[in-house]
Amino acid sequence: MHPALSVIFFTVVSGAGFGLYSLTAILQLFRLGPAMDRSELLTALITAFVLIVAGLISSTGHLANPKNAWRSFMRVKTSWLSREAVLAVIFFPFGFLYLLGVYLYGAHVPAFFGLMGLIGIVLGFMTVFATGMIYACLKTMRQWNTPLVPANYLLMGLTLGALFHLAIEAYYGANLQFITGVAGTALVMTGVMKGIYYYWIIKTSGPSINTATTFTRATVRLLDVGHTAGTFLTEEFGYQVEAGRLLMLKALVFGFGFILPLILIVAAAASQGAGFLLATLAVLSSLAGKGIERWLFFAEARHVVNLYHGAQHT
């Protein structure tokens, strides 16, 4: 599939926002880790909302006719895209009420505002899950039609959220040992999950020119694609990346997305004065790695229509 920058920005940034909101609310409501004061909580929650809103606004950038975006809310029963849109909108009143509770009462919010925060956590995770399912439900795309996709989306969002949370705690001079452990664990789990996904998609099982034509007793080859120039289908659904470039980009995904941030957050936790700088660099490095990862996610996907344009398999 042809990678769209607006969709890459949306999925990475909004996922980070939902991850930051959910992690902050979980740590505060369940009293996990060092206690956060009102300023830390407000900074983390407001940053989360800025990331979510920026991502959602950018998602309209790939629409041919943005004024028809409202139609995406009309197919909740059949469309994961519609479910994602509805869940993202429903999240805001609950998220804002929890933010209001923190603003009024600090870390010790009353039960009502705590309940709003819990509902916001669930809706945040459900929104990111729905984003992943938009792709995972497509049986015409072998590289997307797997539970690994929504699992990757959830872990990616949680990992970026943990890194943002660590940077905010470093800014306020908090003890970073606990959140470094959380972010480090998330980085390792997400990196392993991404490795499993890359190993899984290199297999050539699935739709092929033989299964498409139902001639399964010999090798079938297309003699003529029926056109002499590129078409919308070949350019949009048959994006090609050289094998060497793919390998280099996957190395950058693991280098910038997981390994370098892990080194930087460990150094930040041990640092006496450069914790915020190192944590910020970890966030930027991970954002760059996740951006490359999401570009590859689209670039490597092959629609079955490619079988009728010369591909032997998807």
Side-chain angles (χ1 to χ4, degrees), residues 236-257:
E236 193 67 22
F237 296 154
Y239 194 80
Q240 298 292 330
V241 188
E242 301 84 3
R245 190 181 176 197
L246 273 180
L247 193 61
M248 182 192 70
L249 290 174
K250 286 179 180 177
L252 293 178
V253 168
F254 286 100
F256 285 115

PDB file of all heavy atoms in Angstrom, residues 236-257:
ATOM      1  N   GLU A 236      -1.268   2.495  -5.941  1.00  0.00           N
ATOM      2  CA  GLU A 236      -1.805   2.608  -4.587  1.00  0.00           C
ATOM      3  C   GLU A 236      -1.734   1.284  -3.822  1.00  0.00           C
ATOM      4  O   GLU A 236      -1.443   1.265  -2.627  1.00  0.00           O
ATOM      5  CB  GLU A 236      -3.265   3.078  -4.657  1.00  0.00           C
ATOM      6  CG  GLU A 236      -3.841   3.536  -3.323  1.00  0.00           C
ATOM      7  CD  GLU A 236      -3.201   4.806  -2.809  1.00  0.00           C
ATOM      8  OE1 GLU A 236      -2.624   5.568  -3.615  1.00  0.00           O
ATOM      9  OE2 GLU A 236      -3.270   5.038  -1.589  1.00  0.00           O
ATOM     10  N   PHE A 237      -1.988   0.165  -4.501  1.00  0.00           N
ATOM     11  CA  PHE A 237      -2.049  -1.133  -3.829  1.00  0.00           C
ATOM     12  C   PHE A 237      -0.810  -1.999  -4.058  1.00  0.00           C
ATOM     13  O   PHE A 237      -0.705  -3.086  -3.501  1.00  0.00           O
ATOM     14  CB  PHE A 237      -3.282  -1.923  -4.293  1.00  0.00           C
ATOM     15  CG  PHE A 237      -4.583  -1.280  -3.925  1.00  0.00           C
ATOM     16  CD1 PHE A 237      -5.731  -1.510  -4.666  1.00  0.00           C
ATOM     17  CD2 PHE A 237      -4.671  -0.443  -2.827  1.00  0.00           C
ATOM     18  CE1 PHE A 237      -6.935  -0.917  -4.323  1.00  0.00           C
ATOM     19  CE2 PHE A 237      -5.870   0.155  -2.482  1.00  0.00           C
ATOM     20  CZ  PHE A 237      -6.999  -0.079  -3.222  1.00  0.00           C
ATOM     21  N   GLY A 238       0.110  -1.533  -4.914  1.00  0.00           N
ATOM     22  CA  GLY A 238       1.292  -2.337  -5.228  1.00  0.00           C
ATOM     23  C   GLY A 238       2.584  -1.595  -5.003  1.00  0.00           C
ATOM     24  O   GLY A 238       3.495  -1.676  -5.815  1.00  0.00           O
ATOM     25  N   TYR A 239       2.677  -0.848  -3.911  1.00  0.00           N
ATOM     26  CA  TYR A 239       3.879  -0.055  -3.620  1.00  0.00           C
ATOM     27  C   TYR A 239       5.081  -0.991  -3.459  1.00  0.00           C
ATOM     28  O   TYR A 239       5.019  -1.979  -2.718  1.00  0.00           O
ATOM     29  CB  TYR A 239       3.662   0.740  -2.338  1.00  0.00           C
ATOM     30  CG  TYR A 239       4.686   1.826  -2.117  1.00  0.00           C
ATOM     31  CD1 TYR A 239       4.589   3.039  -2.780  1.00  0.00           C
ATOM     32  CD2 TYR A 239       5.748   1.635  -1.253  1.00  0.00           C
ATOM     33  CE1 TYR A 239       5.524   4.038  -2.585  1.00  0.00           C
ATOM     34  CE2 TYR A 239       6.693   2.627  -1.041  1.00  0.00           C
ATOM     35  CZ  TYR A 239       6.559   3.818  -1.719  1.00  0.00           C
ATOM     36  OH  TYR A 239       7.500   4.808  -1.515  1.00  0.00           O
ATOM     37  N   GLN A 240       6.166  -0.674  -4.165  1.00  0.00           N
ATOM     38  CA  GLN A 240       7.332  -1.555  -4.167  1.00  0.00           C
ATOM     39  C   GLN A 240       8.510  -0.904  -3.427  1.00  0.00           C
ATOM     40  O   GLN A 240       8.784   0.269  -3.616  1.00  0.00           O
ATOM     41  CB  GLN A 240       7.754  -1.865  -5.605  1.00  0.00           C
ATOM     42  CG  GLN A 240       6.701  -2.610  -6.419  1.00  0.00           C
ATOM     43  CD  GLN A 240       6.486  -4.028  -5.911  1.00  0.00           C
ATOM     44  OE1 GLN A 240       7.413  -4.654  -5.383  1.00  0.00           O
ATOM     45  NE2 GLN A 240       5.269  -4.539  -6.053  1.00  0.00           N
ATOM     46  N   VAL A 241       9.179  -1.689  -2.600  1.00  0.00           N
ATOM     47  CA  VAL A 241      10.382  -1.237  -1.887  1.00  0.00           C
ATOM     48  C   VAL A 241      11.480  -2.263  -2.131  1.00  0.00           C
ATOM     49  O   VAL A 241      11.245  -3.473  -2.016  1.00  0.00           O
ATOM     50  CB  VAL A 241      10.129  -1.104  -0.368  1.00  0.00           C
ATOM     51  CG1 VAL A 241      11.331  -0.458   0.314  1.00  0.00           C
ATOM     52  CG2 VAL A 241       8.873  -0.301  -0.095  1.00  0.00           C
ATOM     53  N   GLU A 242      12.691  -1.780  -2.456  1.00  0.00           N
ATOM     54  CA  GLU A 242      13.785  -2.711  -2.711  1.00  0.00           C
ATOM     55  C   GLU A 242      14.124  -3.496  -1.442  1.00  0.00           C
ATOM     56  O   GLU A 242      14.008  -2.983  -0.334  1.00  0.00           O
ATOM     57  CB  GLU A 242      15.028  -1.954  -3.178  1.00  0.00           C
ATOM     58  CG  GLU A 242      14.830  -1.146  -4.450  1.00  0.00           C
ATOM     59  CD  GLU A 242      14.226   0.211  -4.172  1.00  0.00           C
ATOM     60  OE1 GLU A 242      14.025   0.532  -2.985  1.00  0.00           O
ATOM     61  OE2 GLU A 242      13.932   0.929  -5.136  1.00  0.00           O
ATOM     62  N   ALA A 243      14.584  -4.771  -1.637  1.00  0.00           N
ATOM     63  CA  ALA A 243      14.866  -5.642  -0.485  1.00  0.00           C
ATOM     64  C   ALA A 243      15.947  -5.054   0.423  1.00  0.00           C
ATOM     65  O   ALA A 243      15.843  -5.112   1.653  1.00  0.00           O
ATOM     66  CB  ALA A 243      15.288  -7.020  -0.995  1.00  0.00           C
ATOM     67  N   GLY A 244      17.001  -4.471  -0.184  1.00  0.00           N
ATOM     68  CA  GLY A 244      18.067  -3.885   0.620  1.00  0.00           C
ATOM     69  C   GLY A 244      17.585  -2.715   1.444  1.00  0.00           C
ATOM     70  O   GLY A 244      17.976  -2.536   2.602  1.00  0.00           O
ATOM     71  N   ARG A 245      16.702  -1.917   0.842  1.00  0.00           N
ATOM     72  CA  ARG A 245      16.162  -0.761   1.567  1.00  0.00           C
ATOM     73  C   ARG A 245      15.250  -1.213   2.703  1.00  0.00           C
ATOM     74  O   ARG A 245      15.246  -0.624   3.782  1.00  0.00           O
ATOM     75  CB  ARG A 245      15.380   0.120   0.583  1.00  0.00           C
ATOM     76  CG  ARG A 245      14.979   1.466   1.147  1.00  0.00           C
ATOM     77  CD  ARG A 245      14.203   2.249   0.105  1.00  0.00           C
ATOM     78  NE  ARG A 245      13.724   3.518   0.632  1.00  0.00           N
ATOM     79  CZ  ARG A 245      12.765   4.232   0.068  1.00  0.00           C
ATOM     80  NH1 ARG A 245      12.212   3.803  -1.059  1.00  0.00           N
ATOM     81  NH2 ARG A 245      12.368   5.358   0.596  1.00  0.00           N
ATOM     82  N   LEU A 246      14.479  -2.283   2.453  1.00  0.00           N
ATOM     83  CA  LEU A 246      13.621  -2.822   3.512  1.00  0.00           C
ATOM     84  C   LEU A 246      14.441  -3.254   4.719  1.00  0.00           C
ATOM     85  O   LEU A 246      14.089  -2.950   5.869  1.00  0.00           O
ATOM     86  CB  LEU A 246      12.856  -4.043   2.974  1.00  0.00           C
ATOM     87  CG  LEU A 246      11.530  -3.807   2.249  1.00  0.00           C
ATOM     88  CD1 LEU A 246      10.952  -5.136   1.817  1.00  0.00           C
ATOM     89  CD2 LEU A 246      10.562  -3.070   3.147  1.00  0.00           C
ATOM     90  N   LEU A 247      15.536  -3.952   4.444  1.00  0.00           N
ATOM     91  CA  LEU A 247      16.378  -4.445   5.533  1.00  0.00           C
ATOM     92  C   LEU A 247      16.982  -3.293   6.324  1.00  0.00           C
ATOM     93  O   LEU A 247      17.019  -3.315   7.559  1.00  0.00           O
ATOM     94  CB  LEU A 247      17.491  -5.327   4.938  1.00  0.00           C
ATOM     95  CG  LEU A 247      18.277  -6.176   5.929  1.00  0.00           C
ATOM     96  CD1 LEU A 247      17.354  -7.155   6.631  1.00  0.00           C
ATOM     97  CD2 LEU A 247      19.395  -6.926   5.218  1.00  0.00           C
ATOM     98  N   MET A 248      17.436  -2.256   5.603  1.00  0.00           N
ATOM     99  CA  MET A 248      18.020  -1.106   6.287  1.00  0.00           C
ATOM    100  C   MET A 248      16.976  -0.395   7.154  1.00  0.00           C
ATOM    101  O   MET A 248      17.248  -0.019   8.298  1.00  0.00           O
ATOM    102  CB  MET A 248      18.585  -0.126   5.254  1.00  0.00           C
ATOM    103  CG  MET A 248      19.257   1.089   5.871  1.00  0.00           C
ATOM    104  SD  MET A 248      19.584   2.363   4.657  1.00  0.00           S
ATOM    105  CE  MET A 248      17.924   2.931   4.293  1.00  0.00           C
ATOM    106  N   LEU A 249      15.760  -0.234   6.609  1.00  0.00           N
ATOM    107  CA  LEU A 249      14.713   0.460   7.365  1.00  0.00           C
ATOM    108  C   LEU A 249      14.303  -0.334   8.605  1.00  0.00           C
ATOM    109  O   LEU A 249      14.021   0.245   9.663  1.00  0.00           O
ATOM    110  CB  LEU A 249      13.505   0.714   6.472  1.00  0.00           C
ATOM    111  CG  LEU A 249      13.716   1.764   5.373  1.00  0.00           C
ATOM    112  CD1 LEU A 249      12.504   1.831   4.447  1.00  0.00           C
ATOM    113  CD2 LEU A 249      13.971   3.138   5.991  1.00  0.00           C
ATOM    114  N   LYS A 250      14.273  -1.680   8.486  1.00  0.00           N
ATOM    115  CA  LYS A 250      13.926  -2.492   9.665  1.00  0.00           C
ATOM    116  C   LYS A 250      15.006  -2.389  10.741  1.00  0.00           C
ATOM    117  O   LYS A 250      14.703  -2.396  11.940  1.00  0.00           O
ATOM    118  CB  LYS A 250      13.709  -3.948   9.242  1.00  0.00           C
ATOM    119  CG  LYS A 250      12.402  -4.148   8.502  1.00  0.00           C
ATOM    120  CD  LYS A 250      12.187  -5.582   8.069  1.00  0.00           C
ATOM    121  CE  LYS A 250      10.861  -5.720   7.329  1.00  0.00           C
ATOM    122  NZ  LYS A 250      10.615  -7.075   6.816  1.00  0.00           N
ATOM    123  N   ALA A 251      16.270  -2.276  10.304  1.00  0.00           N
ATOM    124  CA  ALA A 251      17.355  -2.070  11.272  1.00  0.00           C
ATOM    125  C   ALA A 251      17.176  -0.731  11.984  1.00  0.00           C
ATOM    126  O   ALA A 251      17.405  -0.618  13.200  1.00  0.00           O
ATOM    127  CB  ALA A 251      18.706  -2.130  10.560  1.00  0.00           C
ATOM    128  N   LEU A 252      16.744   0.305  11.238  1.00  0.00           N
ATOM    129  CA  LEU A 252      16.491   1.616  11.848  1.00  0.00           C
ATOM    130  C   LEU A 252      15.312   1.558  12.820  1.00  0.00           C
ATOM    131  O   LEU A 252      15.308   2.249  13.838  1.00  0.00           O
ATOM    132  CB  LEU A 252      16.227   2.655  10.762  1.00  0.00           C
ATOM    133  CG  LEU A 252      17.421   3.007   9.858  1.00  0.00           C
ATOM    134  CD1 LEU A 252      16.997   4.014   8.793  1.00  0.00           C
ATOM    135  CD2 LEU A 252      18.574   3.579  10.689  1.00  0.00           C
ATOM    136  N   VAL A 253      14.299   0.741  12.485  1.00  0.00           N
ATOM    137  CA  VAL A 253      13.153   0.595  13.396  1.00  0.00           C
ATOM    138  C   VAL A 253      13.623   0.104  14.760  1.00  0.00           C
ATOM    139  O   VAL A 253      13.255   0.670  15.808  1.00  0.00           O
ATOM    140  CB  VAL A 253      12.112  -0.387  12.802  1.00  0.00           C
ATOM    141  CG1 VAL A 253      11.075  -0.765  13.859  1.00  0.00           C
ATOM    142  CG2 VAL A 253      11.435   0.221  11.593  1.00  0.00           C
ATOM    143  N   PHE A 254      14.450  -0.951  14.759  1.00  0.00           N
ATOM    144  CA  PHE A 254      14.898  -1.503  16.044  1.00  0.00           C
ATOM    145  C   PHE A 254      15.932  -0.583  16.708  1.00  0.00           C
ATOM    146  O   PHE A 254      15.955  -0.455  17.928  1.00  0.00           O
ATOM    147  CB  PHE A 254      15.481  -2.904  15.829  1.00  0.00           C
ATOM    148  CG  PHE A 254      14.432  -3.940  15.576  1.00  0.00           C
ATOM    149  CD1 PHE A 254      14.150  -4.374  14.289  1.00  0.00           C
ATOM    150  CD2 PHE A 254      13.689  -4.471  16.622  1.00  0.00           C
ATOM    151  CE1 PHE A 254      13.163  -5.314  14.049  1.00  0.00           C
ATOM    152  CE2 PHE A 254      12.701  -5.411  16.397  1.00  0.00           C
ATOM    153  CZ  PHE A 254      12.432  -5.836  15.102  1.00  0.00           C
ATOM    154  N   GLY A 255      16.807   0.048  15.869  1.00  0.00           N
ATOM    155  CA  GLY A 255      17.838   0.921  16.444  1.00  0.00           C
ATOM    156  C   GLY A 255      17.250   2.153  17.099  1.00  0.00           C
ATOM    157  O   GLY A 255      17.503   2.432  18.284  1.00  0.00           O
ATOM    158  N   PHE A 256      16.440   2.923  16.319  1.00  0.00           N
ATOM    159  CA  PHE A 256      15.865   4.169  16.842  1.00  0.00           C
ATOM    160  C   PHE A 256      14.629   3.915  17.700  1.00  0.00           C
ATOM    161  O   PHE A 256      14.352   4.670  18.631  1.00  0.00           O
ATOM    162  CB  PHE A 256      15.494   5.107  15.686  1.00  0.00           C
ATOM    163  CG  PHE A 256      16.671   5.770  15.047  1.00  0.00           C
ATOM    164  CD1 PHE A 256      17.004   5.511  13.733  1.00  0.00           C
ATOM    165  CD2 PHE A 256      17.473   6.644  15.766  1.00  0.00           C
ATOM    166  CE1 PHE A 256      18.098   6.116  13.135  1.00  0.00           C
ATOM    167  CE2 PHE A 256      18.569   7.257  15.189  1.00  0.00           C
ATOM    168  CZ  PHE A 256      18.888   6.994  13.869  1.00  0.00           C
ATOM    169  N   GLY A 257      13.875   2.866  17.350  1.00  0.00           N
ATOM    170  CA  GLY A 257      12.608   2.660  18.046  1.00  0.00           C
ATOM    171  C   GLY A 257      12.728   1.982  19.394  1.00  0.00           C
ATOM    172  O   GLY A 257      11.931   2.245  20.301  1.00  0.00           O
TER     173      GLY A 257
END
